């Protein structure tokens, strides 16, 4: 059985836990401790990762490198790896946009084989089972599937096109994370008027995610002429409560793109999305 040596860049809470899963089927999982924090060193020790003194040592020994770092650092990190002429499989697993993923592939190829990746879910500890989505060359994705076989990291391959995994990750994150911010704003507004517990009671009657109801987008478009001004009113209420109104004003601006579709009961999801893409 192929037991590759894997390098992880850099082991934060997600990266270290994913790397720990890789130890199941890898000969070794390496990390570079130079310049890393005490917390990173503690995580690496906790998860049984092997320390390398330099990035060059890590890259020289690694067959597979997994990049899991803050998004802003992803491209510079890939450039450093390219400078060392790494020639193995490079898994770009950061939350970056598809265009950046393609640029990174351009930096590393043809010497390395680049896979576009995105992790959806919580770090694989305490029973959590995130999914690593991949897109890229089939032979390389098969190696990563084998690496995480039988571990808490679930695998899903989206095809061979670099950028698909990043697009899925950001599409999901844009909803999931913005929704959490909207919760903070809604509860903050309600609390300013002493009705936060009542708001939570109202919300508790519905537990489904709007993201699972894309067919409702057409209805949203048809009602945008009413909803936009309502959100402007809500933005004013946030501002009066000392809370930031910009997110709701941006949502109102988005709804304005559907202004011409007022009460259009024949509008389809495809129609609504096409209209939204038109400035």
């Amino acid at each position: 059985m192929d037991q590759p040596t894997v390098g992880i860049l850099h082991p934060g809470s997600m990266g270290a836990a994913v790397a720990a899963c890789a130890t199941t089927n890898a000969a070794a999982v390496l990390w570079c401790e130079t310049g890393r924090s005490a917390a990173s060193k503690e995580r690496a020790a906790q998860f049984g990762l092997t320390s390398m003194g330099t990035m060059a040592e890590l890259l020289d020994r690694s067959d597979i490198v997994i990049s899991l770092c803050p998004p802003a650092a992803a491209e510079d990190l890939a450039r450093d790896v390219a400078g060392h002429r790494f020639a193995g499989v490079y898994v770009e697993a950061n939350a970056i946009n598809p265009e950046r993923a393609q640029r990174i592939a351009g930096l590393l190829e043809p010497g390395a084989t680049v896979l576009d990746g995105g992790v959806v879910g919580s770090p694989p500890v305490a029973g959590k089972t995130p999914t690593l989505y991949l897109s890229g060359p089939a032979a390389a994705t098969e190696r990563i599937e084998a690496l995480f076989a039988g571990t808490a990291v679930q695998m899903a391959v989206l095809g061979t096109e670099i950028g698909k995994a990043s697009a899925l990750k950001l599409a999901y994150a844009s909803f999931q994370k913005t929704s959490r911010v909207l919760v903070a704003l809604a509860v903050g507004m309600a609390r300013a008027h002493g009705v936060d517990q009542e708001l939570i009671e109202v919300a508790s009657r519905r537990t489904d995610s709007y993201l699972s109801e894309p067919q409702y987008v057409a209805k949203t478009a048809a009602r945008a002429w009413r909803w936009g001004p309502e959100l402007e009113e809500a933005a004013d209420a946030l501002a009066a409560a000392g809370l930031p109104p910009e997110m709701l004003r941006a949502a109102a601006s988005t709804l304005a793109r559907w202004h011409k579709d007022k009460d259009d009961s024949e509008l389809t999801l495809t129609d609504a999305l096409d209209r939204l893409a038109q400035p």
Side-chain angles (χ1 to χ4, degrees), residues 48-174:
L49 310 186
T50 301
S51 173
M52 295 285 103
T54 66
M55 176 78 80
E57 289 179 286
L58 181 150
L59 295 173
D60 286 344
R61 290 188 52 184
S62 296
D63 304 300
I64 296 169
V65 165
I66 301 172
S67 177
L68 270 167
C69 66
E75 206 162 343
D76 287 340
L77 187 56
R79 192 172 287 108
D80 288 343
V81 173
H84 287 286
R85 300 185 183 277
F86 176 69
V89 175
Y90 187 86
V91 182
E92 170 47 67
N94 299 299
I96 60 175
N97 68 62
E99 289 74 22
R100 288 190 71 194
Q102 291 162 4
R103 284 202 303 272
I104 285 171
L107 287 171
L108 288 154
E109 295 171 343
T113 301
V114 177
L115 292 177
D116 178 29
V119 181
V120 174
S122 301
V125 295
K128 302 291 178 62
T129 57
T131 298
L132 172 59
Y133 290 91
L134 292 176
S135 59
T141 59
E142 288 171 5
R143 292 192 72 186
I144 306 305
E145 287 182 293
L147 177 64
F148 289 107
T151 75
V153 176
Q154 306 297 300
M155 297 295 306
V157 177
L158 303 175
T160 60
E161 182 182 336
I162 297 296
K164 281 192 171 184
S166 289
L168 177 62
K169 166 68 177 179
L170 284 194
Y172 181 74
S174 66

Side-chain angles (χ1 to χ4, degrees), residues 1-8 11 15-31 43-51 64 66 124 144 146-153:
M1 179 183 295
D2 177 26
Q3 286 194 308
T5 297
V6 178
I8 180 72
V18 168
C21 290
T23 61
T24 300
N25 298 313
V29 178
L30 316 177
W31 77 292
R43 278 193 297 268
Q46 174 189 352
F47 289 116
L49 310 186
T50 301
S51 173
I64 296 169
I66 301 172
I144 306 305
L147 177 64
F148 289 107
T151 75
V153 176

Side-chain angles (χ1 to χ4, degrees), residues 184-195:
L185 293 177
V187 174
M189 184 197 304
R191 187 181 66 171
H193 294 275
V195 291

